[in-house]
Amino acid sequence: MFSDISQHWARPCITALAKRDIIRGYPNGTFRPSAVVSRAEFASLMQQVFPQIPVKRSPMEFPDVFAEYWANGAIRWASERGLFSGDEQGRFLPKQTISRVQAVVVLVSGLSAEQASEATSEPEAALAEQSLSQAVARTFNDAQSIPRYALESVGRAIESSLLESLPEPRAMHPDRSMTRGEVAALLCRALNIPAAELTPDLPGLGQTRQNLFQGLFRQESGFGAEKLAFLDRTIQRSSYRKDIKRAALRLQLPEGIPLTPADPGMEGATPNPARGETPTKDACG
């Protein structure tokens, strides 16, 4: 589908999302999975992923997002649903790359809005927050670098299997910019795309053993001894065939004594030259 994702670890997710028209590539046929994602681009993606979530508040007016800006509509949509806020100065910073922790917070907010959950009491909420913080500490060895405002969202992402669970804690790198490939993998889990769709097609998968063997026999039909003979002819014509035979003879002779045409296997051969066959060794070897 895209010319630059065949060896990328997120290829199945990228392909699945592209088929759903959630993500797109570039005019030259590439996807650029290692390119970073801006806040404006992520807001646009959220509109594609959560089109049904309800309005939560009046949209914020960002001084750095002009009416003619390409993502103005998506940013306004995301602001109305409480997915994005501005910085201390009220700016949206649309061209700034979105960090890993910011992406998780926005995505969890979208999922929470889509899955209207029942209200919990304050003691239950406090207990849940403590449990989520412990999950974050168990999962990431740099949990202390995660901003306090994001701890609950990261914990919910772990709880919902949005973040890959590994036996040993690893670094989250919360401030690192998200790449297009990483965003695709995150959205794959958020949308619960079936595992079968993410499994690469393998030849013969799902076939019975008998059908598989019959297919192989059909492919090999007529491939008999005559077609195999070219292998022997190639060996016979090989310029290295005699050299291979002579190698064993050379190993049997003392060092410095060349083979002569009179030695077995040397019929028709010319003697090795006295000079020029191998380079001399200098003091460095």
Side-chain angles (χ1 to χ4, degrees):
M1 180 172 288
F2 299 112
S3 60
D4 57 346
I5 65 170
S6 60
Q7 302 300 320
H8 195 271
W9 60 269
R11 180 185 61 81
C13 282
I14 294 169
T15 303
L17 294 173
K19 288 178 180 177
R20 288 164 170 77
D21 203 28
I22 293 174
I23 59 175
R24 297 179 180 87
Y26 293 90
N28 64 355
T30 62
F31 181 76
R32 303 178 193 171
S34 298
V36 294
V37 178
S38 70
R39 285 167 55 84
E41 289 170 333
F42 201 76
S44 181
L45 279 173
M46 293 302 96
Q47 192 175 18
Q48 295 287 328
V49 174
F50 303 116
Q52 304 300 324
I53 61 177
V55 173
K56 185 177 181 181
R57 66 190 183 192
S58 298
M60 299 179 68
E61 298 296 332
F62 301 108
D64 57 344
V65 180
F66 304 105
E68 61 273 16
Y69 186 63
W70 71 269
N72 177 52
I75 293 170
R76 186 179 182 86
W77 177 93
S79 173
E80 286 179 328
R81 285 149 182 83
L83 301 183
F84 276 92
S85 297
D87 65 358
E88 294 82 359
Q89 300 175 23
R91 301 172 302 175
F92 184 79
L93 306 174
K95 296 182 180 179
Q96 186 181 83
T97 57
I98 191 164
S99 67
R100 290 182 170 190
V101 71
Q102 289 173 348
V104 169
V105 169
V106 172
L107 189 58
V108 169
S109 296
L111 287 171
S112 300
E114 189 179 54
Q115 306 161 355
S117 56
E118 298 179 358
T120 57
S121 64
E122 288 187 9
E124 288 176 336
L127 186 62
E129 184 177 353
Q130 182 181 5
S131 176
L132 293 173
S133 297
Q134 292 172 351
V136 173
R138 286 195 304 269
T139 305
F140 299 114
N141 54 26
D142 59 350
Q144 70 281 356
S145 302
I146 300 173
R148 186 173 180 80
Y149 77 86
L151 282 174
E152 183 178 351
S153 294
V154 174
R156 293 194 183 282
I158 296 169
E159 188 179 56
S160 304
S161 299
L162 294 181
L163 300 176
E164 187 180 5
S165 178
L166 297 176
E168 297 293 332
R170 83 275 193 188
M172 181 184 180
H173 301 296
D175 296 327
R176 184 178 293 179
S177 299
M178 284 286 280
T179 65
R180 287 167 61 84
E182 290 171 337
V183 167
L186 199 60
L187 295 184
C188 246
R189 298 188 184 104
L191 294 172
N192 288 321
I193 293 180
E197 191 174 342
L198 304 177
T199 303
D201 295 332
L202 297 174
L205 191 64
Q207 298 186 37
T208 64
R209 183 182 300 180
Q210 186 63 27
N211 289 340
L212 187 59
F213 283 143
Q214 287 178 356
L216 291 173
F217 288 146
R218 282 194 297 271
Q219 292 176 22
E220 301 300 327
S221 61
F223 198 80
E226 292 183 359
K227 292 186 178 180
L228 285 171
F230 78 94
L231 297 173
D232 292 333
R233 289 199 298 271
T234 303
I235 293 173
Q236 291 290 348
R237 291 196 301 267
S238 171
S239 58
Y240 300 101
R241 186 177 177 84
K242 290 182 179 179
D243 286 338
I244 293 171
K245 292 175 64 176
R246 294 164 189 163
L249 297 173
R250 290 193 184 101
L251 292 174
Q252 296 174 27
L253 293 175
E255 186 176 357
I257 299 179
L259 291 171
T260 66
D263 292 316
M266 292 296 292
E267 297 81 1
T270 56
N272 292 331
R275 297 175 178 271
E277 184 179 27
T278 57
T280 57
K281 293 182 181 180
D282 60 13
C284 297

